[in-house]
Amino acid sequence: MYRWEITRAVLAQRVFAVVRTDSYDKAAATAGTLLSAGLTGLEISLTTPFALEAVTTLTREVGDEAVIGAGTVLDAQTARMAVDAGARFLVSPSLDAEVIRTGHRYGVPVFPGVATPTEMVRALELGADALKLFPASGQSPRRLRDIRAALPQAPLVPTGGVTLEDAPEWIAAGAVACGIGSALAEGDRAEVSRRVSDLLRRLADAAPGEKGGDTSE
C-alpha cells in the first residue's frame, strides 16, 4: 500500500485506538479486544514494554484487515525500529523532522504531534500525513474550528484527553479523526463491541456533510 492509502485506511473510521499498558500481555489482549470489536486502526505506544514485539505479532495476525502502527516515536532510530517491526504508520507526541523523513523513506505515513498553528504549518511543510493535535485536553473543539478556518488544509487528529462523549464534537469541528485510549477498551468483549459500534455511528453522524452531521461554521 502507498502512504496515502495507509493514511486513508487509518483515518477511515474517524477514530483509531491508542494502546498504552504496563505489559506486553495486556497490550496484546487490549488490542485483540478492540480489533474484534471492529476497529481497523490501532497504535501501540512504545512506552509499553516489548511494544515492538506486540506490533510485529499484531501486524502478522491481522494482515490487511486492520492497520497497526507505533506511537510515541521520538527519534529517527526508533522510527526505523518500528518500521522494521512492521508498523504501518508512526505517531509522535512531538514534531521531529527526522521521524517524518525516516517514515517516508520506507513508505510509512507519520502523524507528528502539534499544538500551535506554527507547528502545524511546519509539519505540513515537512510532508506530515496527518497532524496529531496533542494534548487535546489542552485544546477544545471550538479552538480547532478556529484553526481550521485559517488552515483548512490541516488534517488534525486530536489525541490525549479525547473522551467517548466529546469525540463527535471534535469531528463536527473539522477533525479528520480522533485518537482514543483506555476508555475504548473497558469491560468485557461484548461491552467493548457495543461501545465501539455506538461510537462509530455517532462519529459518522457528526461528520460535516454527512447525514445528521453538523455543517455549521
Side-chain angles (χ1 to χ4, degrees):
M1 296 175 70
Y2 294 108
R3 266 182 26 225
W4 66 268
E5 293 177 299
I6 299 171
T7 301
R8 185 171 65 178
V10 175
L11 305 178
Q13 292 182 315
R14 303 181 180 87
V15 62
F16 61 84
V18 179
V19 176
R20 179 181 289 108
T21 69
D22 59 7
S23 74
Y24 170 92
D25 290 340
K26 288 182 181 179
T30 299
T33 297
L34 292 168
L35 293 169
S36 296
L39 283 180
T40 57
L42 182 150
E43 72 166 82
I44 302 293
S45 170
L46 297 188
T47 59
T48 299
F50 301 102
L52 293 179
E53 287 83 348
V55 169
T56 299
T57 299
L58 288 167
T59 300
R60 181 175 62 247
E61 289 178 349
V62 304
D64 293 330
E65 295 181 5
V67 186
I68 308 300
T72 325
V73 179
L74 301 180
D75 51 47
Q77 180 180 5
T78 308
R80 176 59 193 271
M81 292 170 63
V83 171
D84 288 345
R88 304 290 296 279
F89 65 100
L90 307 178
V91 185
S92 177
S94 59
L95 176 57
D96 184 283
E98 288 306 311
V99 171
I100 297 174
R101 293 190 185 105
T102 301
H104 288 181
R105 185 176 298 125
Y106 300 103
V108 174
V110 181
F111 307 164
V114 297
T116 67
T118 298
E119 291 177 340
M120 294 172 197
V121 171
R122 179 59 177 153
L124 291 173
E125 291 172 344
L126 291 170
D129 302 277
L131 312 181
K132 174 181 177 176
L133 184 62
F134 181 81
S137 57
Q139 311 277 350
S140 70
R142 181 174 180 178
R143 184 171 186 271
L144 185 144
R145 192 184 297 277
D146 291 340
I147 292 171
R148 288 273 300 157
L151 298 173
Q153 73 275 28
L156 295 168
V157 183
T159 308
V162 176
T163 68
L164 298 172
E165 291 71 29
D166 66 18
E169 297 177 31
W170 288 103
I171 298 301
V176 294
C178 294
I180 302 181
S182 58
L184 276 172
E186 296 175 353
D188 59 26
R189 283 181 176 262
E191 185 177 354
V192 173
S193 182
R194 288 192 296 270
R195 181 182 301 120
V196 168
S197 295
D198 177 67
L199 178 62
L200 293 179
R201 177 187 55 77
R202 290 189 296 119
L203 294 180
D205 288 344
E210 297 293 330
K211 183 177 180 181
D214 180 2
T215 58
S216 63
E217 291 298 327

